[in-house]
Amino acid sequence: MTILNRRHALALITAAATLPQMAFSQDRTNIVDVSLGDANAPITVVEYASFTCPHCANFHKTVWPQLKANYIDTGKVHFVFREVYFDRVGVWAAMIARCAPQDRYFGIADHLFNRQREWTSGGSPEETVQNLFAIGRQAGLSDGQMTECMSDRAYAEALVAEYQKNSEADDITSTPAFIINGEKASNMNYEDFSALLDKELAG
């Protein structure tokens, strides 16, 4: 999928219209990277992906499990995940994933990718929000927590601003895309990804 330009991206800042406005219990505008693995690993892989991107979902179904088991869990790769937003639904999904404690983020992300066709098939914004809430509940989030997160316009604005800053700095034009020890790489199968990582490890 192709990245939207800045004007279109800023137009995505739309909280779920059906959710009530409310007082917020915390400031979520300090957006930090979510990551897995040893921060001192010899390789850092940054993935740029959208929760609504079919190619990204395919990567996470076919490549991600082996990548995590063979490189991240073994201390060879520090993996950083950065969301890309093509539409407001993608922003909503990220807000739900980030509403949970960080140690649950990747579990929610797995659900979002593995069940992408299911939760994005809502015929209305209200139905899509309820689909996302169902995923959040499985991660232990309450409806109140998710409503607060998704009603926070400043939070949505901060997410989109962070996405714009990072994607422009790394010249990301499509998803999924990867930065491997500072070098950009495009989508690939596990065999090619593994070969690239092994070459990097060999020095």
Side-chain angles (χ1 to χ4, degrees):
M1 297 181 74
T2 303
I3 300 293
L4 298 177
N5 63 34
R6 183 171 180 80
R7 178 175 60 84
H8 289 153
L10 292 176
L12 300 180
I13 302 172
T14 309
T18 58
L19 299 178
Q21 293 301 304
M22 57 197 305
F24 304 119
S25 62
Q26 59 180 295
D27 180 3
R28 301 181 182 85
T29 57
N30 180 28
I31 307 301
V32 297
D33 280 332
V34 288
S35 64
L36 284 176
D38 184 356
N40 296 314
I43 300 176
T44 295
V45 173
V46 180
E47 179 186 5
Y48 283 87
S50 166
F51 288 125
T52 59
C53 160
H55 297 297
C56 303
N58 184 64
F59 176 86
H60 277 266
K61 290 176 184 177
T62 61
V63 180
W64 169 251
Q66 295 178 84
L67 177 65
K68 182 176 183 299
N70 296 333
Y71 291 93
I72 299 170
D73 293 347
T74 57
K76 299 174 183 176
V77 165
H78 179 224
F79 179 84
V80 178
F81 184 82
R82 290 178 177 168
E83 302 120 354
V84 170
Y85 308 122
F86 297 113
D87 45 43
R88 62 180 180 176
V89 175
V91 179
W92 296 347
M95 293 171 89
I96 291 293
R98 285 178 172 270
C99 189
Q102 194 169 107
D103 62 356
R104 299 185 209 169
Y105 178 93
F106 285 97
I108 296 176
D110 284 345
H111 279 297
L112 290 169
F113 283 125
N114 291 332
R115 298 167 54 188
Q116 186 185 83
R117 288 187 180 182
E118 178 184 336
W119 67 264
T120 58
S121 64
S124 66
E126 295 82 1
E127 187 176 346
T128 299
V129 169
Q130 288 308 309
N131 291 343
L132 287 169
F133 271 37
I135 291 174
R137 290 185 198 109
Q138 291 181 6
L141 294 173
S142 70
D143 285 13
Q145 287 174 307
M146 291 184 284
T147 297
E148 182 177 344
C149 284
M150 292 189 65
S151 300
D152 191 339
R153 181 181 176 89
Y155 180 32
E157 291 175 344
L159 285 172
V160 172
E162 186 71 6
Y163 140 67
Q164 282 291 327
K165 180 188 74 174
N166 289 330
S167 63
E168 290 173 5
D170 287 333
D171 191 28
I172 303 300
T173 57
S174 62
T175 58
F178 305 90
I179 306 295
I180 302 174
N181 277 356
E183 297 295 325
K184 189 163 68 170
S186 57
N187 191 18
M188 66 190 88
N189 59 33
Y190 175 74
E191 288 72 21
D192 290 343
F193 213 127
S194 177
L196 193 58
L197 295 177
D198 288 346
K199 181 179 179 181
E200 192 73 20
L201 287 167

